[in-house]
Amino acid sequence: MSDSPVSVHNPNEGQPQDEGPSAAQQKQMEQAYAQMKRKMSMQEIGKKIKHKIMVLSGKGGVGKSTVSTGLALSLAQQGHKVGILDIDITGPNVPKMMGLDGKRLHVEGGRIHPAQGHLGVKVISMAFLLDDDDTPVVWRGPIKLGAIQQFIGDVEWGNLDYLVIDFPPGTSDEPLTVAQSLPDIDGMVIVTTPQDVALMDSRKSIGFAESLKVPVLGVVENMSGYTINGKSAPNSTVEIAGPGGKSISTQADDEGNFSVVVDIFKKGGGKNTAEEFSVPYLGALPFDPGFVRGGDDGVHRIVSEPEGHSAKAFSEVVAAIQEQIGASESSSLEII
Amino acid sequence: MAEIMPKLTRLERRKSDLLLTYESGDELSVEYVDLRHACPCAKCAPNRNEDQTSIDLRESVEKLANKKPKVVTIGNYALSFEWEDQGCSSGIYRFERIWALANNKDPDNGKPYVHGPW
Ligand SMILES: Nc1ncnc2c1ncn2[C@@H]1O[C@H](COP(=O)(O)OP(=O)(O)OP(=O)(O)O)[C@@H](O)[C@H]1O
Ligand SMILES: [Mg+2]
């Protein structure tokens, strides 16, 4: 030992000095470095992706994934470069809807590469990590959040016009982690169904949006009305028994074609929530059993019927979202 | 105060207040202290329901430095203000709210705070 008057506690006493950091220190430094690299890469990714949209709902099963994939496809139809990030760890179903069932994570050169689904939409899903589609991943909090950060920082999206992020239901940690990791999120789309319970939950999501400091782009009402098309005698009156015993009547045209919209749930809920909180109302998506088919054989309605009723409804919602994003971009407010 | 809110076109952060210019030509100001007392966040807002807590809130805001805040646009419907001191920066102020404050109107229309974002 030296004859310095200062005694220094040295945890490596006995080991040769000047040999650089210990193995533990080395590991810590490597971790810090990886963390820093990831942070920089998140910033980088933030710049390469023009618009980032989160899709949330207070309640499960209201159609977030259906809406996320629909928005992504509708945007891709317009010619945009689009990605979709499926953050749902316990029930990721985006790959099924995008025709990518059974895909596994593709890692090359230390980077994660997205799979390409319908219309060239790039897809990253937690499902790509599963060995078996029927085994849900049960990850505890911190590991899950770390995985999400990794998913954001290590994915090679390339340049994108839009990234749609699909979340698990509820106002949990995931959106918070994403909002904190990914810079400049344009905002969130809140999916609701017309029922009262779902509405109450979407109120929660709007409050949650405020606490995340992410703007609410608006509310979409999903499963709004079901259109029944049929044939009857030309110019006859058709009567349909609607929900709650209410009868709906309509007139068949010269050729006997008729079409009725049946409101399966109460109508207008999304609009009411939007009005109550003065956030934009983005429109309604019809109840369409064809979306479900997309869930099974991997053909989304927008792909199989690009000119159909549902595809049109989606493109209207997309236009409303673009108006919100565009409006904030070209905001004429001068701040000094 | 006009029934329909005109568009806010210019916002200047001055020493102790905001100078707001509207498309209608209105030029109005809001003191930082008033702005902060009217914070719509879920933590501050309920304090304005009772006279005493409202006074306390006001006093706590007056004690802060109230230096020029950073202004962040939220979508196309609101602004938020980031203060460099310890005070609350989480409120999202809809343009209607700012317009009401600029016109010395109660931005909550006399309604008590019930949980909801704004
Ligand atoms: N507009 C619609 N018309 C008909 N069926 C729909 C519609 N939207 C969603 N569905 C069906 O409802 C079910 C739930 O939809 P989806 O998986 O998109 O909801 P989610 O909110 O993502 O659910 P989770 O909370 O589990 O993530 C699916 O079977 C889907 O096909
Ligand atoms: Mg889902």
Side-chain angles (χ1 to χ4, degrees), chain A residues 5 97 107 155 172 204 208-209 216 308 312 318:
Chain A
M97 297 181 179
V107 184
V155 177
S172 47
K204 248 196 304 195
F208 181 62
V216 177
K312 276 214 184 89
V318 162

Side-chain angles (χ1 to χ4, degrees), chain A residues 60-66 88 93 97 169 222-223 286-288 291-292:
Chain A
V62 298
K64 280 177 304 303
S65 304
T66 306
D88 198 338
N93 48 10
M97 297 181 179
N222 187 32
M223 309 196 210
F287 184 88
D288 177 354
F291 288 146
V292 183

Side-chain angles (χ1 to χ4, degrees), chain A:
Chain A
M1 289 300 279
S2 72
D3 6 75
S4 157
V6 186
S7 121
V8 182
H9 170 70
N10 181 3
N12 296 327
E13 199 130 39
Q15 283 179 22
Q17 302 285 306
D18 306 312
E19 287 272 306
S22 69
Q25 281 171 322
Q26 180 88 33
K27 199 164 164 223
Q28 236 178 21
M29 277 159 64
E30 269 165 17
Q31 271 174 358
Y33 178 67
Q35 190 66 29
M36 190 186 75
K37 237 176 55 183
R38 179 160 298 144
K39 216 170 156 191
M40 278 167 61
S41 127
M42 282 176 189
Q43 300 282 336
E44 188 65 22
I45 285 170
K47 277 191 221 128
K48 279 184 161 168
I49 302 172
K50 274 194 217 137
H51 297 293
K52 296 147 213 126
I53 299 168
M54 300 167 67
V55 178
L56 295 177
S57 72
K59 207 180 136 213
V62 298
K64 280 177 304 303
S65 304
T66 306
V67 171
S68 301
T69 48
L71 291 179
L73 290 168
S74 196
L75 284 162
Q77 248 180 358
Q78 292 185 347
H80 293 292
K81 281 190 217 130
V82 187
I84 177 162
L85 175 60
D86 176 14
I87 292 266
D88 198 338
I89 292 179
T90 36
N93 48 10
V94 167
K96 267 199 183 122
M97 297 181 179
M98 295 300 286
L100 294 170
D101 215 3
K103 274 264 174 204
R104 292 291 161 259
L105 207 60
H106 175 62
V107 184
E108 212 181 286
R111 307 285 292 165
I112 303 170
H113 292 261
Q116 295 227 350
H118 299 307
L119 307 178
V121 172
K122 294 184 177 176
V123 181
I124 282 289
S125 169
M126 291 285 176
F128 297 165
L129 291 175
L130 310 188
D131 291 330
D132 167 2
D133 285 342
D134 299 325
T135 324
V137 188
V138 186
W139 279 351
R140 274 174 301 126
I143 299 181
K144 182 173 74 179
L145 299 180
I148 292 173
Q149 280 189 332
Q150 188 160 356
F151 254 29
I152 294 174
D154 300 351
V155 177
E156 199 58 63
W157 292 104
N159 291 314
L160 289 184
D161 296 314
Y162 290 90
L163 177 66
V164 179
I165 311 166
D166 182 28
F167 287 93
T171 48
S172 47
D173 296 338
E174 289 92 344
L176 188 67
T177 308
V178 171
Q180 286 170 344
S181 315
L182 206 57
D184 306 323
I185 291 180
D186 287 271
M188 57 176 75
V189 169
I190 292 166
V191 183
T192 176
T193 62
Q195 293 135 297
D196 284 336
V197 226
L199 282 182
M200 253 164 46
D201 285 306
S202 61
R203 281 173 198 162
K204 248 196 304 195
S205 333
I206 294 176
F208 181 62
E210 184 212 23
S211 65
L212 286 186
K213 291 209 147 202
V214 171
V216 177
L217 296 175
V219 177
V220 176
E221 181 176 301
N222 187 32
M223 309 196 210
S224 191
Y226 179 47
T227 306
I228 298 175
N229 295 310
K231 225 164 163 62
S232 172
N235 300 312
S236 61
T237 303
V238 181
E239 225 164 87
I240 303 237
K246 230 175 66 189
S247 97
I248 307 162
S249 63
T250 187
Q251 196 75 31
D253 68 9
D254 293 345
E255 281 157 24
N257 297 313
F258 70 88
S259 141
V260 188
V261 180
V262 180
D263 295 321
I264 297 176
F265 304 120
K266 233 190 306 176
K267 208 187 150 81
K271 194 158 186 194
N272 293 343
T273 314
E275 266 165 20
E276 188 178 332
F277 290 103
S278 355
V279 295
Y281 173 61
L282 300 170
L285 298 169
F287 184 88
D288 177 354
F291 288 146
V292 183
R293 195 168 64 92
D296 294 334
D297 63 11
V299 182
H300 200 284
R301 181 64 106 197
I302 294 186
V303 177
S304 59
E305 274 173 60
E307 298 293 325
H309 190 51
S310 299
K312 276 214 184 89
F314 261 110
S315 68
E316 276 163 30
V317 170
V318 162
I321 292 173
Q322 284 169 327
E323 195 181 318
Q324 284 307 311
I325 296 173
S328 58
E329 235 176 25
S330 61
S331 163
S332 50
L333 173 63
E334 183 189 357
I335 298 172
I336 299 163

